[in-house]
């Protein structure tokens, strides 16, 4: 009889241990899903994904993203371009008048799977963008059209009523629409 009681308790312990492992695995799967979402999320005025954060130092951003496909520098500003897997321009400028450190001032997306919490992304139509961001204004710059939200720190490049680029910049600061030299 003692033998059966010991086996009974061992069986219960084994079942509970299996549930703990399953719950642990479910937690990691959930975390991985959250991380994937975080890596593709556009937060206007702040960041794109987890690596491209406005005001973050140039060296830190580039170390995370790896070697760029193209760079152009002049007058204390640097434009860094990645073509693969996504077309992204990162615009850096000196942080302050000490001219020692450059930080990320603007992010321009031209391809990729990034999206806002409202599911606005590249190739969204203008009516979807206006529905998600009704306070914006249409702005024409050098023959290009943008739907601009300075207070939110996001602009959408529009062509044929479709979003062709998304620009993220610090809130209440005008974006540099000419950042691509």
């Amino acid at each position: 009889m003692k033998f059966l009681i010991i086996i009974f308790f061992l069986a219960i312990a084994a079942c509970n241990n299996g549930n703990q492992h399953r719950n642990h695995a479910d937690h990691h799967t959930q975390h991985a899903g959250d991380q994937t979402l975080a890596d593709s999320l556009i937060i206007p005025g702040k960041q794109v994904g987890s690596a491209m954060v406005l005001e973050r130092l140039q060296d830190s951003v580039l170390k995370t993203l790896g070697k760029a496909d193209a760079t152009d520098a002049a007058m204390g500003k640097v434009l860094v371009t990645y073509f693969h897997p996504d077309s992204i321009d990162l615009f850096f400028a000196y942080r302050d008048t000490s001219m020692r450190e450059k930080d990320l001032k603007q992010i321009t997306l031209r391809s990729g799977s990034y999206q806002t919490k409202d599911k606005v992304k590249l190739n969204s139509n203008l009516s979807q963008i206006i529905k998600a961001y009704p306070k914006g204004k249409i702005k024409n710059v050098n023959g290009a059209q943008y739907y601009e939200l300075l207070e939110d720190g996001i602009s959408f490049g529009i062509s044929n009523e479709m979003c062709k680029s998304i620009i993220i910049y610090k809130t209440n600061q005008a974006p540099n629409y000419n950042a691509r030299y």
Side-chain angles (χ1 to χ4, degrees):
M1 181 72 168
K2 288 182 185 178
F3 180 71
L4 287 175
I5 293 173
I6 293 172
I7 290 177
F8 176 74
F9 282 114
L10 287 174
I12 289 174
C15 287
N16 284 339
N17 194 22
N19 286 338
Q20 288 174 350
H21 286 298
R22 195 171 314 117
N23 289 340
H24 186 68
D26 289 346
H27 173 73
H28 280 295
T29 302
Q30 177 66 33
H31 181 67
D34 291 346
Q35 188 61 35
T36 301
L37 178 63
D39 287 341
S40 65
L41 186 64
I42 297 170
I43 302 174
K46 295 191 188 297
Q47 68 189 60
V48 174
S50 57
M52 295 173 280
V53 180
L54 293 177
E55 304 295 317
R56 191 168 168 201
L57 292 177
Q58 178 180 348
D59 293 341
S60 176
V61 173
L62 298 182
K63 183 178 179 184
T64 303
L65 294 177
K67 187 176 186 313
D69 294 307
T71 58
D72 190 2
M75 306 287 294
K77 298 176 174 111
V78 178
L79 180 68
V80 177
T81 302
Y82 293 88
F83 295 117
H84 185 73
D86 303 318
S87 179
I88 300 169
D89 289 338
L90 304 176
F91 182 67
F92 296 91
Y94 281 117
R95 175 172 279 190
D96 54 33
T97 56
S98 71
M99 298 188 354
R100 291 190 186 121
E101 299 175 319
K102 293 178 185 160
D103 57 11
L104 185 56
K105 300 293 185 188
Q106 182 172 303
I107 304 161
T108 303
L109 306 171
R110 289 191 170 72
S111 72
S113 57
Y114 301 100
Q115 63 182 4
T116 68
K117 68 178 175 65
D118 300 308
K119 308 272 189 261
V120 175
K121 56 188 175 186
L122 292 165
N123 294 316
S124 291
N125 62 45
L126 182 58
S127 61
Q128 180 184 0
I129 296 168
I130 292 171
K131 184 177 178 184
Y133 299 97
K135 296 179 193 172
K137 296 178 179 138
I138 298 288
K139 183 171 187 170
N140 291 301
V141 179
N142 298 329
Q145 187 179 59
Y146 297 91
Y147 185 71
E148 182 179 82
L149 294 106
L150 288 178
E151 310 83 36
D152 294 335
I154 190 168
S155 292
F156 302 90
I158 305 297
S159 177
N160 297 320
E161 301 290 313
M162 300 295 284
C163 176
K164 297 302 177 187
S165 66
I166 301 174
I167 303 170
I168 306 301
Y169 46 90
K170 194 170 178 182
T171 57
N172 295 313
Q173 288 189 1
N176 181 351
Y177 291 118
N178 298 315
R180 188 172 237 190
Y181 307 139

